[in-house]
């Protein structure tokens, strides 16, 4: 394994779960389902519940402090995304955020307008949009290559024209793992007069992107998969957010934060989300160097994960009884590795647990993708997902377990 840019011991010191006695010896490879929570997030959450668990934005000190803590999260997540705070919206989950967003688009679009969805997505970023067909919206499907699971840009070009108002696509699939060229997708969509809604749930744990570089109009991720609490974060271009019909109370029509998230989540969790940005700055400090801390953290996390996942990919290349989904080189994918096996993925995951490997199997709400690839969703895949706090020793433990259970 190549040298790691981040010292695992220093990184792991910021995650209490990684020193929890009951989890000793357990190698965690289900990060794509939800990461461990960073200490700054836990500290912020506890502090809010202890000292400012009151109605925020009032006139007395505890209420004022609660509102300020929440405001800080809008500002900090915006800094990480390199956008203004008006872009940021918090909701109960990414699935809920997308549901509300699609409903807003349904009232904004006109019969005869077209939207593009993919069959590579988690159902949350495809099913909600597909329902718009009932309102007279034409739904076009950008389909994956059935062998590789890849979304080829030529497939987008073939269905993109002036009728298309929205392109909804994943930054990377939660099963395929390949990182999609979002900047190119956005450029093509904008040239045709469409906006983009990007599901970043499977990419964001590996570094929140610079939205100016991506060119995305909407970007969604789940904070609980990015070292934070269980809620959804949506960044949306303010001009678009104001153009879409209000989904909240009529008297909040002029308030960006309230228009597209009618069911606001726990105030304490909103306050805690900002600490994700604090943690990323800590990662940047550990990585060293100068310049924008979020860019440095993103680069270091990415390089760390490339170094960690490549030995697993090399090992799998020699396994004839395993079908790897997505690219075999670490640089073109997120460290979410899915395997198609002769047995159901969940069955093999249960055997890996005997070796202290925490993984999972199933369809992971990507039923359309598996069907397109000729895989029974009930059979599913075995999914092994890393993040930057994974260690070389855990990778070795995983490979040894696979060797024992997939001879």
């Amino acid at each position: 394994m190549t040298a790691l840019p981040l010292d695992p011991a220093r990184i792991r010191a910021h995650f209490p779960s990684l020193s929890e006695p009951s989890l000793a010896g357990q190698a965690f490879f289900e990060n794509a389902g939800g990461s461990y929570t960073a200490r700054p997030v836990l500290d912020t959450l506890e502090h809010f519940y202890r000292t400012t668990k009151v109605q925020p934005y009032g006139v007395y000190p505890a209420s004022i402090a609660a509102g300020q803590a929440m405001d800080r999260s809008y500002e900090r997540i915006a800094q990480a995304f390199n956008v203004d705070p008006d872009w940021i919206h918090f909701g109960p989950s990414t699935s809920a955020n997308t549901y509300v967003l699609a409903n807003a688009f349904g009232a904004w679009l006109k019969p005869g307008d077209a939207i593009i969805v993919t069959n590579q997505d988690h159902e949350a970023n495809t099913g909600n949009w597909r329902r718009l067909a009932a309102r007279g919206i034409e739904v076009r499907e950008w389909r994956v290559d059935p062998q590789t699971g890849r979304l080829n840009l030529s497939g987008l070009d073939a269905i993109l024209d002036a009728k298309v108002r929205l392109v909804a696509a994943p930054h990377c699939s939660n099963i395929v793992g390949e990182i999609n060229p979002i900047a190119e997708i956005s450029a093509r969509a904008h040239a045709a007069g469409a906006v983009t809604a990007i599901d970043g749930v499977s990419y964001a744990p590996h570094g929140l992107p610079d939205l100016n570089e991506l060119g995305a109009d909407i970007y969604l991720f789940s904070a609980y998969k990015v070292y934070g609490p269980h809620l959804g974060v949506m960044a949306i271009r303010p001009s678009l957010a104001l153009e879409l019909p209000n989904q909240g109370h009529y008297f909040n029509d002029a308030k960006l934060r309230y228009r597209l998230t009618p069911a606001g989540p726990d105030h304490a969790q909103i306050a805690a989300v900002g600490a994700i940005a604090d943690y990323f700055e800590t990662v940047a400090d550990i990585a060293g160097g100068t310049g924008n801390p979020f860019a440095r953290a993103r680069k270091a996390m990415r390089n760390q994960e490339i170094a960690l996942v490549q030995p697993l990919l090399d090992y799998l290349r020699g396994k004839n009884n395993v079908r790897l989904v997505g690219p075999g080189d670490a640089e073109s994918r997120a460290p979410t590795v899915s395997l198609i096996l002769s047995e159901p993925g969940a069955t093999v995951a249960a055997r890996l647990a005997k070796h202290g490997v925490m993984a999972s199997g199933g369809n992971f709400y990507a039923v359309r993708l598996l069907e397109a690839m000729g895989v029974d969703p009930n059979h599913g895949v075995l999914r092994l997902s890393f993040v930057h706090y994974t260690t070389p020793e855990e990778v070795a433990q995983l490979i040894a377990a696979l060797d024992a259970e997939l001879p």
Side-chain angles (χ1 to χ4, degrees):
M1 185 176 293
T2 58
L4 299 176
L6 296 169
D7 178 355
R10 293 181 65 189
I11 288 293
R12 290 167 74 87
H14 295 278
F15 291 89
S17 292
L18 295 173
S19 58
E20 166 61 33
S22 65
L23 296 173
Q26 300 291 304
F28 189 42
F29 287 97
E30 200 178 2
N31 291 280
S35 66
Y36 285 139
T37 309
R39 188 184 303 278
V41 174
L42 293 170
D43 290 346
T44 302
L45 191 64
E46 181 182 23
H47 177 78
F48 194 100
Y49 273 121
R50 287 182 180 277
T51 66
T52 56
K53 189 62 179 76
V54 296
Q55 189 67 17
Y57 302 110
V59 296
Y60 51 91
S63 180
I64 293 170
Q68 290 172 338
M70 294 167 65
D71 287 344
R72 182 179 185 273
S73 287
Y74 287 90
E75 294 163 3
R76 294 293 283 151
I77 295 301
Q79 286 178 328
F81 272 136
N82 192 27
V83 294
D84 292 330
D86 281 351
W87 277 70
I88 306 304
H89 305 254
F90 297 119
S93 67
T94 294
S95 295
N97 284 348
T98 310
Y99 182 90
V100 174
L101 187 66
N103 194 59
F105 267 85
W108 182 68
L109 296 168
K110 299 177 177 61
D113 285 345
I115 63 173
I116 291 175
V117 298
T118 86
N119 61 348
Q120 193 191 57
D121 278 278
H122 184 290
E123 187 64 18
N125 198 48
T126 190
N128 290 323
W129 299 113
R130 291 171 188 265
R131 290 190 182 99
L132 297 182
R135 302 195 189 191
I137 306 303
E138 180 187 355
V139 178
R140 302 177 183 178
E141 186 176 68
W142 180 12
R143 296 174 182 171
V144 298
D145 181 299
Q147 295 302 313
T148 65
R150 171 176 291 178
L151 286 172
N152 294 306
L153 287 172
S154 59
L156 174 62
D157 292 338
I159 58 175
L160 181 60
D161 58 32
K163 289 183 63 178
V164 175
R165 303 295 307 280
L166 169 79
V167 177
H171 200 159
C172 74
S173 159
N174 66 339
I175 286 182
V176 179
E178 183 170 17
I179 300 171
N180 291 321
I182 298 303
E184 295 180 49
I185 293 170
S186 294
R188 282 168 160 79
H190 293 160
V195 297
T196 53
I198 304 304
D199 177 359
V201 171
S202 294
Y203 182 89
H206 315 295
L208 295 183
D210 183 320
L211 292 188
N212 285 307
E213 291 181 358
L214 281 190
D217 301 286
I218 303 166
Y219 194 93
L220 306 106
F221 76 91
S222 299
Y224 71 97
K225 298 185 180 184
V226 191
Y227 324 111
H230 197 119
L231 85 173
V233 183
M234 176 171 64
I236 177 169
R237 195 176 301 280
S239 58
L240 175 59
L242 286 170
E243 192 174 340
L244 293 171
N246 175 28
Q247 301 300 298
H249 301 310
Y250 75 94
F251 48 78
N252 285 328
D253 184 70
K255 298 179 180 179
L256 269 175
R257 292 185 187 178
Y258 297 92
R259 299 184 83 254
L260 297 174
T261 52
D266 184 293
H267 297 149
Q269 292 190 63
I270 292 178
V273 169
I276 295 173
D278 299 342
Y279 171 67
F280 283 162
E281 288 187 330
T282 297
V283 173
D285 290 340
I286 293 172
T290 59
N292 182 285
F294 300 110
R296 285 190 286 127
R298 191 183 310 124
K299 180 179 179 181
M301 291 163 67
R302 181 84 185 109
N303 289 338
Q304 184 93 346
E305 292 167 348
I306 288 171
L308 287 166
V309 78
Q310 192 61 59
L312 174 63
L313 297 175
D314 292 341
Y315 164 78
L316 293 172
R317 193 173 294 116
K319 300 288 287 184
N320 294 327
N321 56 344
V322 171
R323 178 185 172 190
L324 171 67
V325 182
D329 63 288
E331 294 200 8
S332 58
R333 67 178 303 144
T336 301
V337 180
S338 298
L339 309 178
I340 301 171
L341 309 169
S342 60
E343 299 175 88
T347 300
V348 179
R351 295 209 303 271
L352 294 178
K354 300 175 184 177
H355 300 267
V357 171
M358 295 186 283
S360 190
N363 60 54
F364 302 103
Y365 293 85
V367 171
R368 299 175 198 270
L369 169 64
L370 291 180
E371 289 176 338
M373 298 186 70
V375 179
D376 180 353
N378 294 315
H379 183 96
V381 297
L382 172 68
R383 189 174 70 176
L384 310 164
S385 50
F386 300 53
V387 291
H388 64 290
Y389 57 57
T390 304
T391 67
E393 292 77 17
E394 288 175 327
V395 177
Q397 182 178 346
L398 169 62
I399 290 174
L402 290 171
D403 221 28
E405 298 300 335
L406 299 174

